[in-house]
């Protein structure tokens, strides 16, 4: 039996920045290379609706995310890409999760508390509050074994596990207990201001940025005031911390040596980073441009059929066990 690895990526922005790719998409590409794995990747646009309620934006974000999944994957056939909004079972079973979850369990969720703190209390929707219950069903519907997520999502996966165990205990074996795979080996990727690269901080470099935009962003990366003749610590340098994502082990050793030795200017290292980003993004952008909206919609129709086949069985099983249908 193949191991089923499943994750969703939010569509809260028009496209992906470098961190979204290196932190979330690339690990899935790596996992898809192993023939023992089966990788399910989806656009979490029902989740994004908790914050993005402009229909043009949500539609565009979803379409772009799907095209980017296809554009970055050298073998899209090893990925099963779908849109849960085309699978009614997500919403159908979320009602069950909500009824089986005590209020206090959701009240202590860090992700909710963080978001509410950033906004005014009364701006948070009930959907945002119950977001983990939808996420739990995204996972349990498909019998996922592993769920790769960044550490801020760990609590949501733990809640999913508790819920699955509780259900199995009360109603009999129904759900596979998933395990979170926390991507701790991927360090925080800094944005151009040195803080964590984030959509909300305007410090990102998008995968679809033009050469001109990338050049501007790279020039803006904050550095210290060390001179050419000063030895430098690469690990403390924002330029290096982005650059290292693109380097082979040999290139990495060689540039680290240049930092520690004499004679490296930030201008030189920024030029190097610019070249590396361009070399990386151009083929992705070319593939992205070649994918038509129709192609994406067709893929979604086909894949929704398979997703519905899996998910509907689960709904039937659950609805029968809990006494909804006879
Ligand atoms: P953003 O911070 O850009 O709004 P999201 O909220 O969509 O991104 O974050 C997606 C996931 O990636 C979250 O789990 C978040 O903690 C993680 N993440 C986002 N940016 C970074 C970063 N620069 N380095 C490490 N993890 C990040
Ligand atoms: N909540 C996740 C995030 O913000 C996205 C997500 C939605 C997800 N459903 C999921 C991740 C199911 C893994 C499994 O990053």
């Amino acid at each position: 039996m193949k191991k089923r690895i499943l994750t969703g990526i939010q569509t809260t922005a028009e496209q992906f920045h470098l961190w979204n790719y290196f932190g979330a998409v690339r690990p899935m590409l790596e996992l898809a290379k192993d023939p023992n794995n089966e990788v399910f990747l989806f656009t979490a646009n029902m989740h994004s609706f908790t914050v993005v309620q402009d229909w043009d934006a949500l539609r565009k974000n979803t379409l772009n995310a799907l095209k980017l999944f296809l554009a970055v994957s050298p073998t899209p056939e090893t990925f099963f890409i779908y849109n849960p909004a085309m699978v009614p079972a997500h919403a159908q079973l979320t009602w069950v999760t909500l009824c089986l979850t005590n209020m206090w369990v959701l009240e202590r969720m860090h992700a909710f508390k963080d978001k509410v703190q950033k906004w005014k209390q009364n701006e948070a929707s009930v959907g945002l509050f119950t977001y983990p219950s939808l996420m739990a069903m995204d996972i349990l519907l498909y019998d996922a074994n592993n769920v790769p997520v960044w550490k801020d999502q760990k609590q949501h996966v733990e809640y999913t596990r508790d819920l699955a165990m509780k259900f199995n205990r009360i109603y009999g074996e129904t759900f596979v207990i998933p395990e979170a795979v926390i991507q701790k080996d991927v360090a925080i990727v800094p944005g151009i201001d040195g803080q964590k690269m984030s959509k909300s901080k305007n410090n990102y470099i998008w995968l679809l940025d033009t050469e001109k935009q990338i050049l501007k962003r790279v020039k803006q990366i904050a550095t210290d005031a060390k001179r050419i003749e000063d030895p430098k610590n690469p690990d403390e340098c924002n330029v290096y911390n982005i650059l290292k994502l693109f380097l082979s082990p040999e290139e990495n050793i060689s540039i680290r040596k240049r930092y520690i030795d004499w004679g490296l200017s930030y201008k030189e290292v920024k030029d190097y980073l610019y070249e590396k980003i361009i070399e990386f993004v151009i083929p992705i952008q070319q593939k992205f441009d070649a994918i038509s909206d129709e192609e994406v919609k067709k893929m979604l129709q086909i894949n929704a059929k398979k997703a519905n086949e899996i998910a509907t069985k689960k709904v039937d099983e659950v609805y029968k066990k809990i006494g909804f249908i006879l």
Side-chain angles (χ1 to χ4, degrees):
M1 264 274 271
K2 288 193 180 204
K3 196 186 260 185
R4 188 166 288 170
I5 321 238
L6 173 147
T7 206
I9 298 189
Q10 287 225 45
T11 55
T12 40
E14 208 176 290
Q15 47 161 304
F16 295 158
H17 50 59
L18 291 180
W19 157 253
N20 297 138
Y21 175 77
F22 285 101
V25 181
R26 195 175 65 171
M28 294 300 275
L29 293 172
E30 290 301 316
L31 289 163
K33 284 187 193 153
D34 183 340
N36 298 314
N37 291 337
E38 192 183 12
V39 171
F40 279 39
L41 183 64
F42 63 88
T43 44
N45 59 6
M46 288 170 78
H47 293 269
S48 304
F49 190 56
T50 55
V51 286
V52 182
Q53 291 175 352
D54 165 334
W55 51 85
D56 274 338
L58 200 58
R59 207 175 282 137
K60 189 157 189 213
N61 296 356
T62 307
L63 187 65
N64 278 358
L66 291 159
K67 284 190 184 175
L68 278 168
F69 287 163
L70 290 171
V72 297
S73 168
T75 51
E77 28 332 312
T78 57
F79 264 164
F80 179 60
I81 300 170
Y82 59 107
N83 178 3
M86 296 167 80
V87 184
H90 290 255
Q92 286 173 303
L93 281 200
T94 298
W95 178 248
V96 178
T97 2
L98 289 174
C99 295
L100 293 176
T101 303
N102 291 330
M103 288 278 283
W104 65 265
V105 174
L106 296 184
E107 273 163 4
R108 52 174 199 131
M109 290 294 171
H110 306 304
F112 176 72
K113 285 200 247 173
D114 284 354
K115 284 241 164 75
V116 167
Q117 220 174 29
K118 278 188 215 147
W119 305 342
K120 291 186 199 114
Q121 178 82 32
N122 58 6
E123 279 176 7
S125 68
V126 179
L128 186 72
F129 179 64
T130 58
Y131 177 118
S133 304
L134 176 61
M135 179 162 165
M137 271 310 149
D138 295 337
I139 300 168
L140 299 179
L141 269 173
Y142 299 94
D143 290 335
N145 303 101
N146 285 349
V147 183
V149 280
W150 187 248
K151 63 176 183 294
D152 67 344
Q153 296 294 316
K154 189 168 172 235
Q155 197 185 21
H156 293 165
V157 181
E158 274 163 10
Y159 155 70
T160 306
R161 285 169 62 84
D162 291 345
L163 198 69
M165 286 191 260
K166 177 174 169 183
F167 193 96
N168 289 353
R169 203 172 49 241
I170 304 174
Y171 299 101
E173 217 43 49
T174 310
F175 295 119
V176 168
I177 312 298
E179 233 175 274
V181 181
I182 306 299
Q183 315 190 349
K184 40 182 171 313
D185 48 333
V186 186
I188 293 282
V189 178
I192 58 170
D193 57 356
Q195 292 186 54
K196 165 179 121 90
M197 187 176 287
S198 171
K199 287 166 214 153
S200 42
K201 292 203 192 96
N202 192 16
N203 64 355
Y204 42 75
I205 298 175
W206 292 127
L207 287 188
L208 300 179
D209 270 346
T210 61
E211 294 182 36
K212 214 167 142 198
Q213 285 164 327
I214 293 173
L215 185 63
K216 189 166 164 220
R217 293 303 233 181
V218 169
K219 280 191 179 158
Q220 286 171 337
I221 298 176
T223 55
D224 59 30
K226 288 209 176 80
R227 294 159 307 166
I228 296 190
E229 54 271 37
D230 297 329
K232 303 172 183 71
N233 180 351
D235 298 315
E236 284 172 7
C237 173
N238 293 326
V239 188
Y240 170 79
N241 281 327
I242 302 177
L243 177 66
K244 69 181 181 195
L245 299 168
F246 299 92
L247 301 180
S248 67
E250 299 75 37
E251 288 170 328
N252 190 28
I253 293 172
S254 139
I255 194 75
R256 285 186 72 85
K257 190 167 173 313
R258 296 277 325 278
Y259 264 87
I260 295 157
D261 289 349
W262 182 92
L264 179 86
S265 73
Y266 286 125
K267 156 98 180 55
E268 183 189 337
V269 85
K270 282 187 175 182
D271 287 346
Y272 187 26
L273 173 63
Y274 170 72
E275 263 170 45
K276 283 285 177 193
I277 298 179
I278 295 296
E279 202 178 282
F280 173 75
V281 297
I282 295 292
I284 294 176
Q285 296 186 357
Q286 284 168 347
K287 278 198 203 161
F288 179 93
D289 291 337
I291 302 168
S292 68
D293 295 3
E294 289 320 306
E295 202 179 315
V296 174
K297 287 183 196 161
K298 208 166 135 203
M299 171 194 75
L300 288 181
Q301 289 296 347
I302 296 169
N303 290 1
K305 206 162 164 262
K306 172 173 161 184
N308 272 305
E309 268 164 30
I310 303 174
T312 313
K313 274 198 202 129
K314 204 55 115 186
V315 177
D316 279 351
E317 187 183 350
V318 170
Y319 274 23
K320 278 192 184 125
K321 282 184 172 163
I322 59 180
F324 277 7
I325 50 175
L326 306 177

